[in-house]
Amino acid sequence: MVSQNRSEGEAPLDLGTSLIDKHRFHDAIEPLLRAAAMSGPAAQRRATAMALLRLGFGLGERQDFADALRVHIRAAAIFAELGDVEQELQCRILTGICEWQLKAYESAIQIFESNAENALRTGKTAFRALAMLSISCILVDHLRQFQRAVPYATEAARLFRSTGDYEQAAHALRHLNEARHEGNA
């Protein structure tokens, strides 16, 4: 029985969080998805979304990208409801990474392109740069579509330089050089 001082969604949230802490990731999925389905105060919704985000990381570390994808999508939806653009963009990047790991390359590219547009609209340059770099990586490393990768790698390098992240800018330039070299071969 739920006490009157606790909302209905707190019990599954507490259970799911406890299971994550014990690295019982698969056991944590259902309680956290139940908590996510319940309405509640914004603080509880945020806690649920953060727990889902943690769960997604844990599942990804265990190479369970299908379940990680599912929980990242739900976390992104909650962050969108709460108006937390940065956390929503992070979840959507992770969603794209899950699709990438599942070898759903075109789907991942679509997610990254959408994320890049949202990041541009909201002024989140680092997220836009990461999305562009991710697209260029897929195009160069997996789809071998070198000419298609050039504009993404170019934009990623420019954006990373503008944020002061020269290590990632160099990574993007390596992809750009490989795309140009292989595209001319």
Side-chain angles (χ1 to χ4, degrees), residues 45-51 53 74-89 91:
R45 302 283 293 149
R46 178 170 307 289
T48 300
M50 291 303 289
L53 183 58
R74 190 64 190 116
I78 294 171
F79 285 126
E81 290 169 18
L82 296 171
D84 189 333
V85 173
E86 194 160 311
Q87 290 291 356
E88 178 189 359
L89 289 170
C91 288

Side-chain angles (χ1 to χ4, degrees), residues 17-84:
T17 302
S18 172
L19 291 168
I20 290 171
D21 291 342
K22 296 173 184 169
H23 296 273
R24 293 177 51 198
F25 301 117
H26 286 94
D27 294 337
I29 294 171
E30 291 311 313
L32 287 175
L33 290 177
R34 267 196 326 274
M38 297 177 186
S39 61
Q44 180 183 324
R45 302 283 293 149
R46 178 170 307 289
T48 300
M50 291 303 289
L52 286 167
L53 183 58
R54 279 183 58 210
L55 176 59
F57 275 117
L59 291 166
E61 287 175 5
R62 294 200 171 179
Q63 308 287 310
D64 187 348
F65 297 109
D67 282 336
L69 175 65
R70 187 167 61 140
V71 297
H72 284 308
I73 288 169
R74 190 64 190 116
I78 294 171
F79 285 126
E81 290 169 18
L82 296 171
D84 189 333

